[in-house]
Amino acid sequence: MEELTAEQIAQHYSAAMDSVNLLNAGKPEGMSDEDWADTVSRNVEHLEIMVAKDFWEGQDITVLQAAIDANS
């Protein structure tokens, strides 16, 4: 496994938080239910992949798991 720098880990965390924030914001006005369901599915999958990573050092990933749980 490739060793990640602290900056790379921070970038992964930021991207994961983008998914969390999108999910927590809920369906945007004007988006179809079908498009929203697809968006939720893709972002939950992204978060599941991120939670499974073993490089988290000091980041609070409970918020990532909470978003998964709330949208699964």
mmCIF file of all heavy atoms in Angstrom, residues 12-51:
data_model
loop_
_atom_site.group_PDB
_atom_site.id
_atom_site.type_symbol
_atom_site.label_atom_id
_atom_site.label_comp_id
_atom_site.label_asym_id
_atom_site.label_seq_id
_atom_site.Cartn_x
_atom_site.Cartn_y
_atom_site.Cartn_z
ATOM 1 N N HIS A 12 -8.534 13.725 0.970
ATOM 2 C CA HIS A 12 -9.542 12.654 1.001
ATOM 3 C C HIS A 12 -10.650 12.984 2.004
ATOM 4 O O HIS A 12 -11.833 12.782 1.728
ATOM 5 C CB HIS A 12 -8.901 11.310 1.363
ATOM 6 C CG HIS A 12 -8.181 10.654 0.239
ATOM 7 N ND1 HIS A 12 -8.800 10.193 -0.894
ATOM 8 C CD2 HIS A 12 -6.865 10.366 0.090
ATOM 9 C CE1 HIS A 12 -7.912 9.653 -1.703
ATOM 10 N NE2 HIS A 12 -6.725 9.753 -1.126
ATOM 11 N N TYR A 13 -10.247 13.488 3.162
ATOM 12 C CA TYR A 13 -11.226 13.836 4.192
ATOM 13 C C TYR A 13 -12.134 14.962 3.704
ATOM 14 O O TYR A 13 -13.352 14.914 3.890
ATOM 15 C CB TYR A 13 -10.511 14.237 5.486
ATOM 16 C CG TYR A 13 -11.460 14.400 6.649
ATOM 17 C CD1 TYR A 13 -12.002 13.288 7.285
ATOM 18 C CD2 TYR A 13 -11.816 15.656 7.119
ATOM 19 C CE1 TYR A 13 -12.875 13.423 8.356
ATOM 20 C CE2 TYR A 13 -12.681 15.805 8.195
ATOM 21 C CZ TYR A 13 -13.205 14.686 8.804
ATOM 22 O OH TYR A 13 -14.069 14.822 9.857
ATOM 23 N N SER A 14 -11.545 15.956 3.054
ATOM 24 C CA SER A 14 -12.331 17.072 2.522
ATOM 25 C C SER A 14 -13.336 16.588 1.476
ATOM 26 O O SER A 14 -14.499 17.006 1.495
ATOM 27 C CB SER A 14 -11.389 18.112 1.906
ATOM 28 O OG SER A 14 -12.128 19.171 1.342
ATOM 29 N N ALA A 15 -12.915 15.696 0.606
ATOM 30 C CA ALA A 15 -13.821 15.147 -0.413
ATOM 31 C C ALA A 15 -14.944 14.344 0.245
ATOM 32 O O ALA A 15 -16.103 14.424 -0.179
ATOM 33 C CB ALA A 15 -13.047 14.276 -1.397
ATOM 34 N N ALA A 16 -14.596 13.579 1.276
ATOM 35 C CA ALA A 16 -15.619 12.815 1.988
ATOM 36 C C ALA A 16 -16.603 13.762 2.665
ATOM 37 O O ALA A 16 -17.817 13.516 2.659
ATOM 38 C CB ALA A 16 -14.971 11.878 3.007
ATOM 39 N N MET A 17 -16.098 14.845 3.233
ATOM 40 C CA MET A 17 -16.987 15.814 3.873
ATOM 41 C C MET A 17 -17.884 16.517 2.853
ATOM 42 O O MET A 17 -19.018 16.877 3.179
ATOM 43 C CB MET A 17 -16.181 16.828 4.677
ATOM 44 C CG MET A 17 -15.624 16.266 5.975
ATOM 45 S SD MET A 17 -16.888 15.524 7.050
ATOM 46 C CE MET A 17 -17.927 16.948 7.379
ATOM 47 N N ASP A 18 -17.406 16.680 1.626
ATOM 48 C CA ASP A 18 -18.270 17.215 0.572
ATOM 49 C C ASP A 18 -19.476 16.301 0.380
ATOM 50 O O ASP A 18 -20.612 16.776 0.234
ATOM 51 C CB ASP A 18 -17.508 17.359 -0.749
ATOM 52 C CG ASP A 18 -16.511 18.501 -0.754
ATOM 53 O OD1 ASP A 18 -16.588 19.387 0.132
ATOM 54 O OD2 ASP A 18 -15.638 18.506 -1.650
ATOM 55 N N SER A 19 -19.241 14.989 0.387
ATOM 56 C CA SER A 19 -20.351 14.036 0.265
ATOM 57 C C SER A 19 -21.283 14.122 1.461
ATOM 58 O O SER A 19 -22.510 14.112 1.306
ATOM 59 C CB SER A 19 -19.815 12.607 0.126
ATOM 60 O OG SER A 19 -19.232 12.406 -1.141
ATOM 61 N N VAL A 20 -20.711 14.214 2.656
ATOM 62 C CA VAL A 20 -21.526 14.339 3.868
ATOM 63 C C VAL A 20 -22.404 15.583 3.779
ATOM 64 O O VAL A 20 -23.619 15.527 4.019
ATOM 65 C CB VAL A 20 -20.639 14.398 5.131
ATOM 66 C CG1 VAL A 20 -21.452 14.804 6.364
ATOM 67 C CG2 VAL A 20 -19.953 13.061 5.362
ATOM 68 N N ASN A 21 -21.811 16.707 3.431
ATOM 69 C CA ASN A 21 -22.558 17.964 3.368
ATOM 70 C C ASN A 21 -23.649 17.929 2.308
ATOM 71 O O ASN A 21 -24.756 18.430 2.528
ATOM 72 C CB ASN A 21 -21.601 19.130 3.117
ATOM 73 C CG ASN A 21 -20.693 19.381 4.303
ATOM 74 O OD1 ASN A 21 -21.035 19.098 5.444
ATOM 75 N ND2 ASN A 21 -19.502 19.900 4.037
ATOM 76 N N LEU A 22 -23.356 17.312 1.171
ATOM 77 C CA LEU A 22 -24.359 17.194 0.111
ATOM 78 C C LEU A 22 -25.534 16.356 0.607
ATOM 79 O O LEU A 22 -26.702 16.748 0.440
ATOM 80 C CB LEU A 22 -23.728 16.553 -1.129
ATOM 81 C CG LEU A 22 -24.625 16.451 -2.344
ATOM 82 C CD1 LEU A 22 -23.823 16.710 -3.603
ATOM 83 C CD2 LEU A 22 -25.304 15.103 -2.419
ATOM 84 N N LEU A 23 -25.247 15.226 1.231
ATOM 85 C CA LEU A 23 -26.316 14.359 1.733
ATOM 86 C C LEU A 23 -27.122 15.044 2.833
ATOM 87 O O LEU A 23 -28.354 14.953 2.856
ATOM 88 C CB LEU A 23 -25.732 13.043 2.243
ATOM 89 C CG LEU A 23 -25.141 12.120 1.180
ATOM 90 C CD1 LEU A 23 -24.351 10.989 1.821
ATOM 91 C CD2 LEU A 23 -26.225 11.583 0.255
ATOM 92 N N ASN A 24 -26.432 15.731 3.738
ATOM 93 C CA ASN A 24 -27.115 16.402 4.835
ATOM 94 C C ASN A 24 -27.984 17.563 4.366
ATOM 95 O O ASN A 24 -28.977 17.888 5.021
ATOM 96 C CB ASN A 24 -26.108 16.886 5.881
ATOM 97 C CG ASN A 24 -25.512 15.755 6.685
ATOM 98 O OD1 ASN A 24 -26.016 14.646 6.697
ATOM 99 N ND2 ASN A 24 -24.409 16.040 7.348
ATOM 100 N N ALA A 25 -27.633 18.158 3.246
ATOM 101 C CA ALA A 25 -28.412 19.284 2.713
ATOM 102 C C ALA A 25 -29.751 18.828 2.141
ATOM 103 O O ALA A 25 -30.696 19.601 2.052
ATOM 104 C CB ALA A 25 -27.606 20.027 1.646
ATOM 105 N N GLY A 26 -29.825 17.572 1.734
ATOM 106 C CA GLY A 26 -31.070 17.056 1.171
ATOM 107 C C GLY A 26 -31.213 17.378 -0.302
ATOM 108 O O GLY A 26 -30.365 18.040 -0.905
ATOM 109 N N LYS A 27 -32.280 16.897 -0.862
ATOM 110 C CA LYS A 27 -32.525 17.042 -2.299
ATOM 111 C C LYS A 27 -32.694 18.502 -2.675
ATOM 112 O O LYS A 27 -33.538 19.200 -2.113
ATOM 113 C CB LYS A 27 -33.769 16.247 -2.688
ATOM 114 C CG LYS A 27 -34.046 16.238 -4.191
ATOM 115 C CD LYS A 27 -35.242 15.388 -4.524
ATOM 116 C CE LYS A 27 -36.416 16.318 -4.690
ATOM 117 N NZ LYS A 27 -37.604 15.673 -5.210
ATOM 118 N N PRO A 28 -31.901 18.962 -3.637
ATOM 119 C CA PRO A 28 -32.058 20.345 -4.098
ATOM 120 C C PRO A 28 -33.401 20.557 -4.801
ATOM 121 O O PRO A 28 -33.925 19.638 -5.444
ATOM 122 C CB PRO A 28 -30.915 20.534 -5.097
ATOM 123 C CG PRO A 28 -29.965 19.416 -4.837
ATOM 124 C CD PRO A 28 -30.782 18.290 -4.277
ATOM 125 N N GLU A 29 -33.910 21.742 -4.677
ATOM 126 C CA GLU A 29 -35.154 22.089 -5.361
ATOM 127 C C GLU A 29 -34.936 21.949 -6.862
ATOM 128 O O GLU A 29 -33.910 22.363 -7.397
ATOM 129 C CB GLU A 29 -35.529 23.533 -5.021
ATOM 130 C CG GLU A 29 -36.898 23.924 -5.508
ATOM 131 C CD GLU A 29 -37.294 25.309 -5.034
ATOM 132 O OE1 GLU A 29 -36.999 25.650 -3.873
ATOM 133 O OE2 GLU A 29 -37.888 26.032 -5.844
ATOM 134 N N GLY A 30 -35.873 21.336 -7.522
ATOM 135 C CA GLY A 30 -35.805 21.178 -8.960
ATOM 136 C C GLY A 30 -35.128 19.890 -9.415
ATOM 137 O O GLY A 30 -35.135 19.595 -10.600
ATOM 138 N N MET A 31 -34.537 19.143 -8.507
ATOM 139 C CA MET A 31 -33.909 17.875 -8.881
ATOM 140 C C MET A 31 -34.966 16.780 -8.830
ATOM 141 O O MET A 31 -35.769 16.728 -7.899
ATOM 142 C CB MET A 31 -32.758 17.533 -7.929
ATOM 143 C CG MET A 31 -32.061 16.214 -8.275
ATOM 144 S SD MET A 31 -30.722 15.790 -7.132
ATOM 145 C CE MET A 31 -29.338 16.533 -7.981
ATOM 146 N N SER A 32 -34.951 15.923 -9.828
ATOM 147 C CA SER A 32 -35.924 14.827 -9.845
ATOM 148 C C SER A 32 -35.596 13.817 -8.756
ATOM 149 O O SER A 32 -34.446 13.702 -8.309
ATOM 150 C CB SER A 32 -35.919 14.134 -11.212
ATOM 151 O OG SER A 32 -34.743 13.353 -11.371
ATOM 152 N N ASP A 33 -36.609 13.080 -8.339
ATOM 153 C CA ASP A 33 -36.414 12.041 -7.330
ATOM 154 C C ASP A 33 -35.411 10.996 -7.819
ATOM 155 O O ASP A 33 -34.583 10.508 -7.045
ATOM 156 C CB ASP A 33 -37.738 11.371 -6.980
ATOM 157 C CG ASP A 33 -38.665 12.279 -6.186
ATOM 158 O OD1 ASP A 33 -38.190 13.280 -5.612
ATOM 159 O OD2 ASP A 33 -39.873 11.977 -6.144
ATOM 160 N N GLU A 34 -35.483 10.671 -9.103
ATOM 161 C CA GLU A 34 -34.570 9.680 -9.683
ATOM 162 C C GLU A 34 -33.122 10.171 -9.632
ATOM 163 O O GLU A 34 -32.217 9.427 -9.250
ATOM 164 C CB GLU A 34 -34.976 9.376 -11.130
ATOM 165 C CG GLU A 34 -34.119 8.328 -11.790
ATOM 166 C CD GLU A 34 -34.550 8.025 -13.223
ATOM 167 O OE1 GLU A 34 -35.691 8.348 -13.601
ATOM 168 O OE2 GLU A 34 -33.720 7.480 -13.955
ATOM 169 N N ASP A 35 -32.900 11.427 -9.998
ATOM 170 C CA ASP A 35 -31.548 11.982 -9.951
ATOM 171 C C ASP A 35 -31.045 12.062 -8.516
ATOM 172 O O ASP A 35 -29.866 11.800 -8.248
ATOM 173 C CB ASP A 35 -31.499 13.366 -10.594
ATOM 174 C CG ASP A 35 -31.568 13.310 -12.111
ATOM 175 O OD1 ASP A 35 -31.356 12.228 -12.690
ATOM 176 O OD2 ASP A 35 -31.840 14.371 -12.726
ATOM 177 N N TRP A 36 -31.916 12.418 -7.587
ATOM 178 C CA TRP A 36 -31.506 12.495 -6.190
ATOM 179 C C TRP A 36 -31.140 11.112 -5.662
ATOM 180 O O TRP A 36 -30.127 10.955 -4.970
ATOM 181 C CB TRP A 36 -32.591 13.141 -5.336
ATOM 182 C CG TRP A 36 -32.241 13.165 -3.885
ATOM 183 C CD1 TRP A 36 -32.890 12.544 -2.876
ATOM 184 C CD2 TRP A 36 -31.120 13.838 -3.275
ATOM 185 N NE1 TRP A 36 -32.255 12.784 -1.678
ATOM 186 C CE2 TRP A 36 -31.164 13.575 -1.895
ATOM 187 C CE3 TRP A 36 -30.085 14.621 -3.774
ATOM 188 C CZ2 TRP A 36 -30.219 14.075 -1.001
ATOM 189 C CZ3 TRP A 36 -29.138 15.118 -2.885
ATOM 190 C CH2 TRP A 36 -29.211 14.848 -1.518
ATOM 191 N N ALA A 37 -31.942 10.100 -5.995
ATOM 192 C CA ALA A 37 -31.642 8.738 -5.548
ATOM 193 C C ALA A 37 -30.278 8.293 -6.077
ATOM 194 O O ALA A 37 -29.495 7.659 -5.352
ATOM 195 C CB ALA A 37 -32.738 7.776 -5.996
ATOM 196 N N ASP A 38 -29.958 8.646 -7.321
ATOM 197 C CA ASP A 38 -28.662 8.311 -7.900
ATOM 198 C C ASP A 38 -27.539 9.057 -7.178
ATOM 199 O O ASP A 38 -26.491 8.483 -6.873
ATOM 200 C CB ASP A 38 -28.655 8.645 -9.392
ATOM 201 C CG ASP A 38 -27.354 8.266 -10.060
ATOM 202 O OD1 ASP A 38 -26.939 7.093 -9.947
ATOM 203 O OD2 ASP A 38 -26.734 9.147 -10.694
ATOM 204 N N THR A 39 -27.770 10.318 -6.877
ATOM 205 C CA THR A 39 -26.788 11.131 -6.163
ATOM 206 C C THR A 39 -26.518 10.559 -4.775
ATOM 207 O O THR A 39 -25.368 10.446 -4.348
ATOM 208 C CB THR A 39 -27.274 12.594 -6.065
ATOM 209 O OG1 THR A 39 -27.408 13.119 -7.394
ATOM 210 C CG2 THR A 39 -26.328 13.454 -5.265
ATOM 211 N N VAL A 40 -27.578 10.204 -4.079
ATOM 212 C CA VAL A 40 -27.435 9.621 -2.747
ATOM 213 C C VAL A 40 -26.643 8.321 -2.835
ATOM 214 O O VAL A 40 -25.699 8.106 -2.071
ATOM 215 C CB VAL A 40 -28.817 9.387 -2.088
ATOM 216 C CG1 VAL A 40 -28.687 8.523 -0.842
ATOM 217 C CG2 VAL A 40 -29.479 10.717 -1.763
ATOM 218 N N SER A 41 -26.998 7.470 -3.773
ATOM 219 C CA SER A 41 -26.333 6.185 -3.927
ATOM 220 C C SER A 41 -24.832 6.358 -4.171
ATOM 221 O O SER A 41 -24.006 5.696 -3.534
ATOM 222 C CB SER A 41 -26.973 5.404 -5.077
ATOM 223 O OG SER A 41 -26.283 4.208 -5.320
ATOM 224 N N ARG A 42 -24.470 7.246 -5.089
ATOM 225 C CA ARG A 42 -23.061 7.473 -5.407
ATOM 226 C C ARG A 42 -22.289 8.033 -4.218
ATOM 227 O O ARG A 42 -21.152 7.633 -3.956
ATOM 228 C CB ARG A 42 -22.913 8.402 -6.617
ATOM 229 C CG ARG A 42 -23.241 7.720 -7.944
ATOM 230 C CD ARG A 42 -22.994 8.614 -9.144
ATOM 231 N NE ARG A 42 -24.056 9.614 -9.256
ATOM 232 C CZ ARG A 42 -23.902 10.921 -9.052
ATOM 233 N NH1 ARG A 42 -22.736 11.426 -8.760
ATOM 234 N NH2 ARG A 42 -24.923 11.748 -9.172
ATOM 235 N N ASN A 43 -22.893 8.946 -3.489
ATOM 236 C CA ASN A 43 -22.199 9.558 -2.372
ATOM 237 C C ASN A 43 -22.092 8.619 -1.175
ATOM 238 O O ASN A 43 -21.078 8.612 -0.477
ATOM 239 C CB ASN A 43 -22.859 10.886 -2.000
ATOM 240 C CG ASN A 43 -22.451 11.971 -2.958
ATOM 241 O OD1 ASN A 43 -21.417 12.612 -2.791
ATOM 242 N ND2 ASN A 43 -23.245 12.185 -4.008
ATOM 243 N N VAL A 44 -23.102 7.818 -0.931
ATOM 244 C CA VAL A 44 -23.019 6.809 0.123
ATOM 245 C C VAL A 44 -21.929 5.801 -0.223
ATOM 246 O O VAL A 44 -21.109 5.430 0.636
ATOM 247 C CB VAL A 44 -24.382 6.118 0.359
ATOM 248 C CG1 VAL A 44 -24.229 4.860 1.204
ATOM 249 C CG2 VAL A 44 -25.357 7.091 1.011
ATOM 250 N N GLU A 45 -21.876 5.372 -1.477
ATOM 251 C CA GLU A 45 -20.832 4.433 -1.903
ATOM 252 C C GLU A 45 -19.444 5.050 -1.688
ATOM 253 O O GLU A 45 -18.526 4.385 -1.200
ATOM 254 C CB GLU A 45 -21.025 4.050 -3.364
ATOM 255 C CG GLU A 45 -19.996 3.061 -3.863
ATOM 256 C CD GLU A 45 -20.209 2.643 -5.310
ATOM 257 O OE1 GLU A 45 -21.208 3.042 -5.934
ATOM 258 O OE2 GLU A 45 -19.339 1.917 -5.818
ATOM 259 N N HIS A 46 -19.287 6.314 -2.050
ATOM 260 C CA HIS A 46 -18.020 7.016 -1.836
ATOM 261 C C HIS A 46 -17.642 7.005 -0.358
ATOM 262 O O HIS A 46 -16.503 6.698 0.006
ATOM 263 C CB HIS A 46 -18.133 8.453 -2.362
ATOM 264 C CG HIS A 46 -16.951 9.301 -2.046
ATOM 265 N ND1 HIS A 46 -17.073 10.499 -1.391
ATOM 266 C CD2 HIS A 46 -15.638 9.133 -2.285
ATOM 267 C CE1 HIS A 46 -15.868 11.026 -1.240
ATOM 268 N NE2 HIS A 46 -14.984 10.222 -1.771
ATOM 269 N N LEU A 47 -18.602 7.306 0.506
ATOM 270 C CA LEU A 47 -18.327 7.336 1.935
ATOM 271 C C LEU A 47 -17.983 5.953 2.477
ATOM 272 O O LEU A 47 -17.099 5.811 3.329
ATOM 273 C CB LEU A 47 -19.510 7.938 2.693
ATOM 274 C CG LEU A 47 -19.729 9.430 2.453
ATOM 275 C CD1 LEU A 47 -21.015 9.889 3.123
ATOM 276 C CD2 LEU A 47 -18.539 10.245 2.936
ATOM 277 N N GLU A 48 -18.666 4.925 1.985
ATOM 278 C CA GLU A 48 -18.355 3.561 2.423
ATOM 279 C C GLU A 48 -16.921 3.193 2.063
ATOM 280 O O GLU A 48 -16.208 2.564 2.869
ATOM 281 C CB GLU A 48 -19.344 2.567 1.809
ATOM 282 C CG GLU A 48 -20.734 2.677 2.384
ATOM 283 C CD GLU A 48 -21.776 1.859 1.653
ATOM 284 O OE1 GLU A 48 -21.593 1.515 0.471
ATOM 285 O OE2 GLU A 48 -22.805 1.567 2.283
ATOM 286 N N ILE A 49 -16.489 3.578 0.871
ATOM 287 C CA ILE A 49 -15.111 3.325 0.447
ATOM 288 C C ILE A 49 -14.136 4.077 1.350
ATOM 289 O O ILE A 49 -13.126 3.531 1.794
ATOM 290 C CB ILE A 49 -14.917 3.718 -1.031
ATOM 291 C CG1 ILE A 49 -15.690 2.752 -1.935
ATOM 292 C CG2 ILE A 49 -13.428 3.761 -1.401
ATOM 293 C CD1 ILE A 49 -15.820 3.217 -3.374
ATOM 294 N N MET A 50 -14.456 5.325 1.650
ATOM 295 C CA MET A 50 -13.567 6.146 2.470
ATOM 296 C C MET A 50 -13.477 5.624 3.908
ATOM 297 O O MET A 50 -12.396 5.571 4.484
ATOM 298 C CB MET A 50 -14.019 7.602 2.474
ATOM 299 C CG MET A 50 -13.804 8.327 1.164
ATOM 300 S SD MET A 50 -12.064 8.514 0.745
ATOM 301 C CE MET A 50 -11.797 7.194 -0.401
ATOM 302 N N VAL A 51 -14.597 5.212 4.493
ATOM 303 C CA VAL A 51 -14.603 4.705 5.867
ATOM 304 C C VAL A 51 -13.749 3.442 5.973
ATOM 305 O O VAL A 51 -13.115 3.202 7.000
ATOM 306 C CB VAL A 51 -16.052 4.451 6.347
ATOM 307 C CG1 VAL A 51 -16.096 3.618 7.609
ATOM 308 C CG2 VAL A 51 -16.763 5.773 6.571
#
